[in-house]
Amino acid sequence: MLGYAGKILVVDLSTGSIDRKTLDHEVLKKAIGGRGLGIQFLWGLCPAKIRAFDPAVPFMVFTGPVSGTPVLCASKHVVITKSPATGGWLETYSSGHMAAQLKYAGWDGIIIVGRSEKPCYLQIQDEQVEIKDGSFLWGKDAFEAETWLRENISESGGHMAIGPAGENHLPFACINSDFFRQCGRGGAGAVMGAKNLKAIAVNGSGGIRVAEPNGLLAKFGEVIKAVKESVKVKTPYTYGTPFTVDVCNAGGLLPTRNFQSGIFPEATGRMDKESFREVVVADHACTGCPISCGKIAEIQKEPQKGSRVEGPEYETFALLGSNLGIADIDFVSRANILCDRLGMDTMSMGNVLGFAMECFEKGLLTKTETDGLDLRFGNQEAALQLIEKTARRKGFGALLALGVKKMSPEIGERAEKLAMQTKGLEFPGYDPRGAFGAALTYSVNPRGSCHRRVWPPTKEIVGDAPPYTVEGKAEMIKGLYDDRIVPQHLIVCDFPLLMVPVPAEYYAETLSMVTGQEFTVERMYWVAQRTEHFIRMLNCREGFSRSDDIVPDRILEEPLPEGPAKGQCVGRDAFQKMLSEYYALRGWDENGVPTPETLARFELSL
Amino acid sequence: MRALKVFPKVCTGCEICGIICSMVHYEQVRETGMRIKIKHRYPELKSPVFQPQVCRNCDEPKCVEACPQDALVLDEKAGEVRIIESECDGCGQCVEACPFDAIWVDPVSGKAIKCDLCNGDPQCVKYCNFDAIQYAPLSAE
């Protein structure tokens, strides 16, 4: 099939061997690419129930058949591995030049196993693949490492680099590409760190061939026109994702002071979409994207006046802003740059700090433990100091570096209720008490609590679904979820689906035009659902069960104290009812295990 | 006389121009075949953050001057620098000479490549959603 390079690079860092796997046509028809290929290989290659840092765990980067082609927003790559945060499935996406360069170099993906004896980096130039001594890069922050790659290998190459957080195996260490784009969630950077792999640099001189070049160009022109004419797209273009601060604040689900409240009035006029717009100095679109939701912001005040950051995105404003009781764009930008340099997920870092601050205010932590820091909500300087200490596991930072789930038993029983996480992954920036469907999304997502399969406000806040009920939510969430996982197979950004909107037919047509193999909308959805069952089986194999598909007590039992969702909590029984309905719709049994009939229907013989 | 004009201030760095360029010339996407590229100013992000690099068809082209093979010629009437492929040996002296980093040696063909204005109908212009590349009469005219 065209579009694909047709082969995967296989590197063993323990032995230094470099090999390849040819992609089988029949596998591709059932996997397409991205997370579809990811589960295929993770299932086969990763021994069950081993630690994420075991050298046997494969660390994999995948593209998809349309990556790099003129299909809307096809610049994503995905890292698939075992999550150090959850111990289960991890998929984490980023953009930049990695996907296209891998394809130019003639690879659909990379599988890396083993552990290098010394720090190393991987350099790929077409067929020439070298594991190089990276000792001199070890200890550098992620920006310094990537700058070295740009200056010494190629300015326009595909790059991935980790910072000190990855080297120190933090369960929320991320991987940077093009400096400001991250495979952010779930600790993929720590898996690289555990393999002593500091960076990957890819350059390709070849081309990506497609079956119908003229048809594809015509379609691309049409979809760009649709973007231009779309009214919906104007909001993310004008404000970037931070427009969501206003959406969530008005909806009463903006995480505030570690999810103790869902509104943050202080944000109005100081950290909302209009005030963000004032500090935006340029737009940045991912490669192949005519929308450009990426914004570049400039810090207005000293210190760091004049420094620029790509972002901050909404999630960072929510979790390092309102969630810490801080309404200051400059602070969030500074914290964002620091996390990017250290190679840490801003979302989990925000949760960790918010959790520690609530513990401090409730007296569960005192200055004795916090290295003397006054850790009340709103303390910006303490937060910045702790970000640095966390990445380096220094002092009180060593506790924060565990992530909220593992921190709580260290602090004490009362802290457990305050840890906002599912399966070990910290919460995204939406309080499910303000949109009950989010509780289901967070609980069934295989990588832990995550907003990337279903954007919580879609129907319950900006649509017309009633937010404070579980009735009808299982069906609603399953529908939205399936829509969203289709693009994650191609791989393309899932934003245009919602924000233009671009119909599923566009993706089926262009996938067919790229590959020369007919893909219908039904076929794409079949593949996407097959992958979901397959991933579920992997997590079952890892020991996950219904009891892991849960959100914290706070969401189930503690009513929100103020705002539009005042008095709301999901309720234990209501949540379990919604979960059972979802399982039934998916074809999973009461324990959340795909039934034999479901597996047979999706041609999974595991 | 018309020429491509770029507006870095409104360029979002999406690189759709390069993708289109390669597709139009080779029916495939290949970075090494793109005749328009975007320079990113990482990690400081100083303005202009994204600088499209494309041939400006200079009045006194340094590339023509530098070419030892006379493979680059200035068509004064059309106001365009052209590459005579049969004469080019890929030595790269034009690449060194170009002050705008807008001419490259394609490792596949071993020959110099640069924007050829798609025979008077530059396709990248049509796909740029932000009008960061325009094809218009030169202001001198």
Side-chain angles (χ1 to χ4, degrees), chain A residues 195-239:
Chain A
K195 296 196 175 307
N196 271 327
L197 177 62
K198 179 73 179 179
I200 303 174
V202 188
N203 284 277
S205 62
I208 308 165
R209 291 173 58 227
V210 301
E212 293 177 47
N214 293 331
L216 201 60
L217 280 179
K219 276 270 153 211
F220 200 39
E222 282 170 29
V223 82
I224 291 174
K225 190 162 172 272
V227 167
K228 212 179 187 95
E229 289 167 358
S230 161
V231 177
K232 272 183 111 173
V233 126
K234 294 203 175 0
T235 303
Y237 170 67
T238 308
Y239 302 105

mmCIF file of all heavy atoms in Angstrom, chain A residues 195-239:
data_model
loop_
_atom_site.group_PDB
_atom_site.id
_atom_site.type_symbol
_atom_site.label_atom_id
_atom_site.label_comp_id
_atom_site.label_asym_id
_atom_site.label_seq_id
_atom_site.Cartn_x
_atom_site.Cartn_y
_atom_site.Cartn_z
ATOM 1 N N LYS A 195 16.229 3.785 29.341
ATOM 2 C CA LYS A 195 17.014 3.103 28.301
ATOM 3 C C LYS A 195 18.333 3.840 28.046
ATOM 4 O O LYS A 195 19.080 3.495 27.133
ATOM 5 C CB LYS A 195 16.198 3.014 27.004
ATOM 6 C CG LYS A 195 14.934 2.163 27.163
ATOM 7 C CD LYS A 195 14.350 1.756 25.864
ATOM 8 C CE LYS A 195 13.163 0.806 26.037
ATOM 9 N NZ LYS A 195 13.443 -0.390 26.871
ATOM 10 N N ASN A 196 18.571 4.879 28.837
ATOM 11 C CA ASN A 196 19.758 5.721 28.640
ATOM 12 C C ASN A 196 19.768 6.388 27.269
ATOM 13 O O ASN A 196 20.827 6.632 26.693
ATOM 14 C CB ASN A 196 21.057 4.924 28.851
ATOM 15 C CG ASN A 196 21.500 4.964 30.297
ATOM 16 O OD1 ASN A 196 21.283 5.963 30.983
ATOM 17 N ND2 ASN A 196 22.111 3.893 30.758
ATOM 18 N N LEU A 197 18.583 6.637 26.756
ATOM 19 C CA LEU A 197 18.441 7.230 25.434
ATOM 20 C C LEU A 197 18.034 8.695 25.593
ATOM 21 O O LEU A 197 16.913 9.001 25.974
ATOM 22 C CB LEU A 197 17.370 6.449 24.647
ATOM 23 C CG LEU A 197 17.008 6.943 23.248
ATOM 24 C CD1 LEU A 197 18.214 6.877 22.308
ATOM 25 C CD2 LEU A 197 15.855 6.111 22.680
ATOM 26 N N LYS A 198 18.948 9.589 25.314
ATOM 27 C CA LYS A 198 18.695 11.014 25.530
ATOM 28 C C LYS A 198 17.895 11.632 24.388
ATOM 29 O O LYS A 198 17.068 12.518 24.611
ATOM 30 C CB LYS A 198 20.036 11.755 25.664
ATOM 31 C CG LYS A 198 19.932 13.257 25.876
ATOM 32 C CD LYS A 198 19.461 13.633 27.257
ATOM 33 C CE LYS A 198 19.407 15.164 27.436
ATOM 34 N NZ LYS A 198 18.920 15.541 28.759
ATOM 35 N N ALA A 199 18.169 11.196 23.180
ATOM 36 C CA ALA A 199 17.536 11.884 22.044
ATOM 37 C C ALA A 199 17.505 10.995 20.808
ATOM 38 O O ALA A 199 18.229 10.000 20.713
ATOM 39 C CB ALA A 199 18.303 13.165 21.738
ATOM 40 N N ILE A 200 16.641 11.394 19.884
ATOM 41 C CA ILE A 200 16.564 10.744 18.575
ATOM 42 C C ILE A 200 16.568 11.853 17.528
ATOM 43 O O ILE A 200 15.863 12.850 17.676
ATOM 44 C CB ILE A 200 15.270 9.903 18.431
ATOM 45 C CG1 ILE A 200 15.159 8.853 19.547
ATOM 46 C CG2 ILE A 200 15.210 9.223 17.062
ATOM 47 C CD1 ILE A 200 13.834 8.082 19.555
ATOM 48 N N ALA A 201 17.380 11.692 16.502
ATOM 49 C CA ALA A 201 17.405 12.666 15.406
ATOM 50 C C ALA A 201 17.209 11.924 14.091
ATOM 51 O O ALA A 201 17.910 10.946 13.820
ATOM 52 C CB ALA A 201 18.733 13.415 15.393
ATOM 53 N N VAL A 202 16.239 12.360 13.316
ATOM 54 C CA VAL A 202 15.923 11.668 12.064
ATOM 55 C C VAL A 202 15.947 12.633 10.890
ATOM 56 O O VAL A 202 15.354 13.716 10.949
ATOM 57 C CB VAL A 202 14.507 11.038 12.116
ATOM 58 C CG1 VAL A 202 14.272 10.157 10.890
ATOM 59 C CG2 VAL A 202 14.302 10.238 13.383
ATOM 60 N N ASN A 203 16.620 12.221 9.838
ATOM 61 C CA ASN A 203 16.581 12.975 8.586
ATOM 62 C C ASN A 203 16.407 12.007 7.429
ATOM 63 O O ASN A 203 17.066 10.969 7.385
ATOM 64 C CB ASN A 203 17.886 13.759 8.383
ATOM 65 C CG ASN A 203 17.925 14.975 9.271
ATOM 66 O OD1 ASN A 203 17.385 16.016 8.944
ATOM 67 N ND2 ASN A 203 18.536 14.813 10.433
ATOM 68 N N GLY A 204 15.532 12.377 6.524
ATOM 69 C CA GLY A 204 15.307 11.504 5.373
ATOM 70 C C GLY A 204 15.400 12.290 4.085
ATOM 71 O O GLY A 204 14.964 13.438 4.015
ATOM 72 N N SER A 205 15.969 11.663 3.076
ATOM 73 C CA SER A 205 16.071 12.350 1.790
ATOM 74 C C SER A 205 15.058 11.832 0.782
ATOM 75 O O SER A 205 14.960 12.336 -0.325
ATOM 76 C CB SER A 205 17.489 12.208 1.228
ATOM 77 O OG SER A 205 17.762 10.841 1.010
ATOM 78 N N GLY A 206 14.307 10.813 1.175
ATOM 79 C CA GLY A 206 13.370 10.203 0.237
ATOM 80 C C GLY A 206 12.007 10.874 0.260
ATOM 81 O O GLY A 206 11.802 11.889 0.923
ATOM 82 N N GLY A 207 11.078 10.304 -0.471
ATOM 83 C CA GLY A 207 9.752 10.898 -0.595
ATOM 84 C C GLY A 207 8.650 9.966 -0.118
ATOM 85 O O GLY A 207 8.847 8.771 0.012
ATOM 86 N N ILE A 208 7.498 10.567 0.152
ATOM 87 C CA ILE A 208 6.318 9.798 0.521
ATOM 88 C C ILE A 208 5.414 9.771 -0.702
ATOM 89 O O ILE A 208 4.950 10.820 -1.166
ATOM 90 C CB ILE A 208 5.567 10.443 1.703
ATOM 91 C CG1 ILE A 208 6.515 10.708 2.871
ATOM 92 C CG2 ILE A 208 4.393 9.562 2.129
ATOM 93 C CD1 ILE A 208 5.942 11.671 3.921
ATOM 94 N N ARG A 209 5.191 8.577 -1.224
ATOM 95 C CA ARG A 209 4.375 8.464 -2.436
ATOM 96 C C ARG A 209 2.930 8.165 -2.083
ATOM 97 O O ARG A 209 2.651 7.485 -1.105
ATOM 98 C CB ARG A 209 4.956 7.380 -3.349
ATOM 99 C CG ARG A 209 6.310 7.808 -3.955
ATOM 100 C CD ARG A 209 6.951 6.675 -4.710
ATOM 101 N NE ARG A 209 6.076 6.202 -5.772
ATOM 102 C CZ ARG A 209 5.813 4.911 -5.994
ATOM 103 N NH1 ARG A 209 6.352 3.991 -5.237
ATOM 104 N NH2 ARG A 209 5.020 4.568 -6.981
ATOM 105 N N VAL A 210 2.043 8.701 -2.860
ATOM 106 C CA VAL A 210 0.614 8.484 -2.627
ATOM 107 C C VAL A 210 -0.020 7.962 -3.918
ATOM 108 O O VAL A 210 0.509 8.179 -5.004
ATOM 109 C CB VAL A 210 -0.091 9.785 -2.179
ATOM 110 C CG1 VAL A 210 0.523 10.321 -0.892
ATOM 111 C CG2 VAL A 210 -0.042 10.854 -3.265
ATOM 112 N N ALA A 211 -1.167 7.287 -3.771
ATOM 113 C CA ALA A 211 -1.780 6.649 -4.936
ATOM 114 C C ALA A 211 -2.415 7.665 -5.888
ATOM 115 O O ALA A 211 -2.358 7.499 -7.103
ATOM 116 C CB ALA A 211 -2.806 5.620 -4.477
ATOM 117 N N GLU A 212 -3.034 8.691 -5.343
ATOM 118 C CA GLU A 212 -3.728 9.650 -6.218
ATOM 119 C C GLU A 212 -3.293 11.085 -5.907
ATOM 120 O O GLU A 212 -4.012 11.831 -5.226
ATOM 121 C CB GLU A 212 -5.239 9.537 -6.032
ATOM 122 C CG GLU A 212 -5.817 8.233 -6.519
ATOM 123 C CD GLU A 212 -7.314 8.160 -6.244
ATOM 124 O OE1 GLU A 212 -8.029 9.139 -6.543
ATOM 125 O OE2 GLU A 212 -7.753 7.141 -5.702
ATOM 126 N N PRO A 213 -2.121 11.481 -6.400
ATOM 127 C CA PRO A 213 -1.605 12.810 -6.040
ATOM 128 C C PRO A 213 -2.543 13.961 -6.422
ATOM 129 O O PRO A 213 -2.757 14.878 -5.626
ATOM 130 C CB PRO A 213 -0.271 12.907 -6.781
ATOM 131 C CG PRO A 213 -0.169 11.723 -7.655
ATOM 132 C CD PRO A 213 -1.175 10.722 -7.230
ATOM 133 N N ASN A 214 -3.104 13.903 -7.611
ATOM 134 C CA ASN A 214 -3.940 15.038 -8.040
ATOM 135 C C ASN A 214 -5.241 15.129 -7.258
ATOM 136 O O ASN A 214 -5.661 16.208 -6.848
ATOM 137 C CB ASN A 214 -4.215 14.961 -9.543
ATOM 138 C CG ASN A 214 -2.933 15.170 -10.336
ATOM 139 O OD1 ASN A 214 -2.014 15.855 -9.877
ATOM 140 N ND2 ASN A 214 -2.843 14.549 -11.502
ATOM 141 N N GLY A 215 -5.842 13.973 -7.044
ATOM 142 C CA GLY A 215 -7.084 13.936 -6.272
ATOM 143 C C GLY A 215 -6.853 14.438 -4.856
ATOM 144 O O GLY A 215 -7.660 15.184 -4.292
ATOM 145 N N LEU A 216 -5.723 14.049 -4.305
ATOM 146 C CA LEU A 216 -5.404 14.426 -2.927
ATOM 147 C C LEU A 216 -5.188 15.942 -2.814
ATOM 148 O O LEU A 216 -5.653 16.575 -1.868
ATOM 149 C CB LEU A 216 -4.137 13.685 -2.490
ATOM 150 C CG LEU A 216 -3.917 13.544 -0.999
ATOM 151 C CD1 LEU A 216 -5.044 12.783 -0.334
ATOM 152 C CD2 LEU A 216 -2.590 12.832 -0.723
ATOM 153 N N LEU A 217 -4.504 16.502 -3.814
ATOM 154 C CA LEU A 217 -4.281 17.954 -3.808
ATOM 155 C C LEU A 217 -5.603 18.710 -3.930
ATOM 156 O O LEU A 217 -5.816 19.727 -3.269
ATOM 157 C CB LEU A 217 -3.337 18.353 -4.943
ATOM 158 C CG LEU A 217 -1.850 18.134 -4.679
ATOM 159 C CD1 LEU A 217 -1.019 18.542 -5.887
ATOM 160 C CD2 LEU A 217 -1.388 18.920 -3.453
ATOM 161 N N ALA A 218 -6.494 18.203 -4.771
ATOM 162 C CA ALA A 218 -7.801 18.852 -4.935
ATOM 163 C C ALA A 218 -8.567 18.821 -3.616
ATOM 164 O O ALA A 218 -9.146 19.820 -3.177
ATOM 165 C CB ALA A 218 -8.586 18.164 -6.039
ATOM 166 N N LYS A 219 -8.530 17.660 -2.953
ATOM 167 C CA LYS A 219 -9.218 17.521 -1.649
ATOM 168 C C LYS A 219 -8.615 18.454 -0.602
ATOM 169 O O LYS A 219 -9.323 19.007 0.244
ATOM 170 C CB LYS A 219 -9.067 16.077 -1.142
ATOM 171 C CG LYS A 219 -10.086 15.129 -1.693
ATOM 172 C CD LYS A 219 -11.304 15.092 -0.793
ATOM 173 C CE LYS A 219 -12.529 14.730 -1.603
ATOM 174 N NZ LYS A 219 -13.748 15.326 -1.102
ATOM 175 N N PHE A 220 -7.297 18.588 -0.667
ATOM 176 C CA PHE A 220 -6.613 19.451 0.302
ATOM 177 C C PHE A 220 -7.064 20.902 0.107
ATOM 178 O O PHE A 220 -7.346 21.615 1.071
ATOM 179 C CB PHE A 220 -5.090 19.323 0.135
ATOM 180 C CG PHE A 220 -4.290 19.762 1.337
ATOM 181 C CD1 PHE A 220 -4.714 19.489 2.625
ATOM 182 C CD2 PHE A 220 -3.084 20.434 1.176
ATOM 183 C CE1 PHE A 220 -3.964 19.887 3.734
ATOM 184 C CE2 PHE A 220 -2.325 20.836 2.267
ATOM 185 C CZ PHE A 220 -2.767 20.563 3.548
ATOM 186 N N GLY A 221 -7.153 21.299 -1.160
ATOM 187 C CA GLY A 221 -7.637 22.652 -1.463
ATOM 188 C C GLY A 221 -9.041 22.861 -0.922
ATOM 189 O O GLY A 221 -9.342 23.896 -0.314
ATOM 190 N N GLU A 222 -9.893 21.851 -1.095
ATOM 191 C CA GLU A 222 -11.284 21.964 -0.621
ATOM 192 C C GLU A 222 -11.343 22.102 0.898
ATOM 193 O O GLU A 222 -12.113 22.898 1.432
ATOM 194 C CB GLU A 222 -12.083 20.707 -1.010
ATOM 195 C CG GLU A 222 -12.518 20.665 -2.455
ATOM 196 C CD GLU A 222 -13.082 19.288 -2.811
ATOM 197 O OE1 GLU A 222 -13.630 18.585 -1.929
ATOM 198 O OE2 GLU A 222 -12.952 18.909 -3.993
ATOM 199 N N VAL A 223 -10.537 21.283 1.589
ATOM 200 C CA VAL A 223 -10.623 21.299 3.050
ATOM 201 C C VAL A 223 -10.016 22.592 3.618
ATOM 202 O O VAL A 223 -10.497 23.117 4.622
ATOM 203 C CB VAL A 223 -10.034 20.001 3.664
ATOM 204 C CG1 VAL A 223 -8.515 20.054 3.769
ATOM 205 C CG2 VAL A 223 -10.626 19.733 5.040
ATOM 206 N N ILE A 224 -9.001 23.134 2.949
ATOM 207 C CA ILE A 224 -8.449 24.423 3.401
ATOM 208 C C ILE A 224 -9.509 25.511 3.223
ATOM 209 O O ILE A 224 -9.674 26.387 4.077
ATOM 210 C CB ILE A 224 -7.143 24.769 2.650
ATOM 211 C CG1 ILE A 224 -6.026 23.802 3.067
ATOM 212 C CG2 ILE A 224 -6.699 26.215 2.933
ATOM 213 C CD1 ILE A 224 -4.728 23.946 2.299
ATOM 214 N N LYS A 225 -10.261 25.413 2.144
ATOM 215 C CA LYS A 225 -11.349 26.381 1.906
ATOM 216 C C LYS A 225 -12.400 26.254 3.023
ATOM 217 O O LYS A 225 -12.893 27.249 3.549
ATOM 218 C CB LYS A 225 -11.969 26.091 0.536
ATOM 219 C CG LYS A 225 -12.934 27.147 0.061
ATOM 220 C CD LYS A 225 -13.152 27.034 -1.462
ATOM 221 C CE LYS A 225 -14.269 27.956 -1.926
ATOM 222 N NZ LYS A 225 -15.606 27.339 -1.860
ATOM 223 N N ALA A 226 -12.689 25.006 3.398
ATOM 224 C CA ALA A 226 -13.671 24.786 4.477
ATOM 225 C C ALA A 226 -13.167 25.391 5.788
ATOM 226 O O ALA A 226 -13.942 25.968 6.556
ATOM 227 C CB ALA A 226 -13.943 23.293 4.643
ATOM 228 N N VAL A 227 -11.870 25.266 6.018
ATOM 229 C CA VAL A 227 -11.280 25.864 7.229
ATOM 230 C C VAL A 227 -11.426 27.382 7.173
ATOM 231 O O VAL A 227 -11.832 28.020 8.142
ATOM 232 C CB VAL A 227 -9.789 25.466 7.370
ATOM 233 C CG1 VAL A 227 -9.091 26.310 8.425
ATOM 234 C CG2 VAL A 227 -9.656 23.983 7.701
ATOM 235 N N LYS A 228 -11.125 27.944 6.014
ATOM 236 C CA LYS A 228 -11.195 29.398 5.847
ATOM 237 C C LYS A 228 -12.611 29.915 6.110
ATOM 238 O O LYS A 228 -12.802 30.968 6.704
ATOM 239 C CB LYS A 228 -10.769 29.748 4.416
ATOM 240 C CG LYS A 228 -10.071 31.082 4.308
ATOM 241 C CD LYS A 228 -9.644 31.365 2.869
ATOM 242 C CE LYS A 228 -8.800 32.600 2.803
ATOM 243 N NZ LYS A 228 -7.382 32.397 2.842
ATOM 244 N N GLU A 229 -13.580 29.132 5.673
ATOM 245 C CA GLU A 229 -14.974 29.586 5.798
ATOM 246 C C GLU A 229 -15.618 29.223 7.132
ATOM 247 O O GLU A 229 -16.710 29.678 7.441
ATOM 248 C CB GLU A 229 -15.801 28.987 4.645
ATOM 249 C CG GLU A 229 -15.443 29.630 3.309
ATOM 250 C CD GLU A 229 -15.991 28.879 2.118
ATOM 251 O OE1 GLU A 229 -16.627 27.817 2.318
ATOM 252 O OE2 GLU A 229 -15.777 29.350 0.982
ATOM 253 N N SER A 230 -14.937 28.387 7.897
ATOM 254 C CA SER A 230 -15.535 27.922 9.149
ATOM 255 C C SER A 230 -15.610 29.045 10.187
ATOM 256 O O SER A 230 -14.632 29.747 10.444
ATOM 257 C CB SER A 230 -14.700 26.760 9.710
ATOM 258 O OG SER A 230 -14.970 26.589 11.072
ATOM 259 N N VAL A 231 -16.758 29.189 10.780
ATOM 260 C CA VAL A 231 -16.931 30.201 11.828
ATOM 261 C C VAL A 231 -16.343 29.666 13.138
ATOM 262 O O VAL A 231 -15.697 30.379 13.900
ATOM 263 C CB VAL A 231 -18.435 30.529 12.004
ATOM 264 C CG1 VAL A 231 -18.635 31.518 13.149
ATOM 265 C CG2 VAL A 231 -19.000 31.092 10.704
ATOM 266 N N LYS A 232 -16.556 28.356 13.356
ATOM 267 C CA LYS A 232 -16.098 27.736 14.603
ATOM 268 C C LYS A 232 -14.595 27.856 14.802
ATOM 269 O O LYS A 232 -14.102 27.976 15.914
ATOM 270 C CB LYS A 232 -16.470 26.246 14.599
ATOM 271 C CG LYS A 232 -17.849 25.957 15.148
ATOM 272 C CD LYS A 232 -18.082 24.470 15.174
ATOM 273 C CE LYS A 232 -18.141 23.912 16.575
ATOM 274 N NZ LYS A 232 -18.523 22.498 16.598
ATOM 275 N N VAL A 233 -13.862 27.779 13.681
ATOM 276 C CA VAL A 233 -12.407 27.750 13.753
ATOM 277 C C VAL A 233 -11.827 29.090 14.231
ATOM 278 O O VAL A 233 -10.707 29.160 14.730
ATOM 279 C CB VAL A 233 -11.866 27.337 12.362
ATOM 280 C CG1 VAL A 233 -10.880 28.306 11.812
ATOM 281 C CG2 VAL A 233 -11.301 25.933 12.405
ATOM 282 N N LYS A 234 -12.609 30.142 14.109
ATOM 283 C CA LYS A 234 -12.084 31.469 14.450
ATOM 284 C C LYS A 234 -11.689 31.570 15.935
ATOM 285 O O LYS A 234 -10.732 32.257 16.277
ATOM 286 C CB LYS A 234 -13.098 32.552 14.097
ATOM 287 C CG LYS A 234 -13.315 32.634 12.585
ATOM 288 C CD LYS A 234 -13.842 33.951 12.123
ATOM 289 C CE LYS A 234 -13.955 34.107 10.606
ATOM 290 N NZ LYS A 234 -13.569 33.011 9.746
ATOM 291 N N THR A 235 -12.415 30.869 16.788
ATOM 292 C CA THR A 235 -12.095 30.940 18.219
ATOM 293 C C THR A 235 -10.723 30.337 18.522
ATOM 294 O O THR A 235 -9.865 31.030 19.070
ATOM 295 C CB THR A 235 -13.212 30.289 19.052
ATOM 296 O OG1 THR A 235 -14.432 30.950 18.737
ATOM 297 C CG2 THR A 235 -12.949 30.413 20.536
ATOM 298 N N PRO A 236 -10.460 29.057 18.162
ATOM 299 C CA PRO A 236 -9.106 28.541 18.446
ATOM 300 C C PRO A 236 -8.024 29.276 17.690
ATOM 301 O O PRO A 236 -6.902 29.407 18.179
ATOM 302 C CB PRO A 236 -9.169 27.067 18.025
ATOM 303 C CG PRO A 236 -10.381 26.934 17.169
ATOM 304 C CD PRO A 236 -11.338 27.998 17.607
ATOM 305 N N TYR A 237 -8.338 29.821 16.499
ATOM 306 C CA TYR A 237 -7.314 30.573 15.779
ATOM 307 C C TYR A 237 -6.987 31.866 16.528
ATOM 308 O O TYR A 237 -5.832 32.238 16.697
ATOM 309 C CB TYR A 237 -7.744 30.891 14.338
ATOM 310 C CG TYR A 237 -6.782 31.878 13.706
ATOM 311 C CD1 TYR A 237 -5.460 31.504 13.445
ATOM 312 C CD2 TYR A 237 -7.148 33.196 13.461
ATOM 313 C CE1 TYR A 237 -4.536 32.401 12.949
ATOM 314 C CE2 TYR A 237 -6.228 34.111 12.964
ATOM 315 C CZ TYR A 237 -4.924 33.703 12.707
ATOM 316 O OH TYR A 237 -4.003 34.603 12.220
ATOM 317 N N THR A 238 -8.005 32.544 16.995
ATOM 318 C CA THR A 238 -7.783 33.841 17.638
ATOM 319 C C THR A 238 -7.134 33.702 19.012
ATOM 320 O O THR A 238 -6.225 34.448 19.360
ATOM 321 C CB THR A 238 -9.127 34.594 17.783
ATOM 322 O OG1 THR A 238 -9.758 34.615 16.498
ATOM 323 C CG2 THR A 238 -8.923 36.026 18.249
ATOM 324 N N TYR A 239 -7.629 32.744 19.785
ATOM 325 C CA TYR A 239 -7.195 32.677 21.190
ATOM 326 C C TYR A 239 -6.316 31.469 21.509
ATOM 327 O O TYR A 239 -5.811 31.370 22.626
ATOM 328 C CB TYR A 239 -8.423 32.643 22.103
ATOM 329 C CG TYR A 239 -9.339 33.833 21.924
ATOM 330 C CD1 TYR A 239 -10.547 33.710 21.246
ATOM 331 C CD2 TYR A 239 -8.979 35.083 22.431
ATOM 332 C CE1 TYR A 239 -11.389 34.805 21.079
ATOM 333 C CE2 TYR A 239 -9.815 36.178 22.267
ATOM 334 C CZ TYR A 239 -11.021 36.034 21.589
ATOM 335 O OH TYR A 239 -11.833 37.115 21.420
#
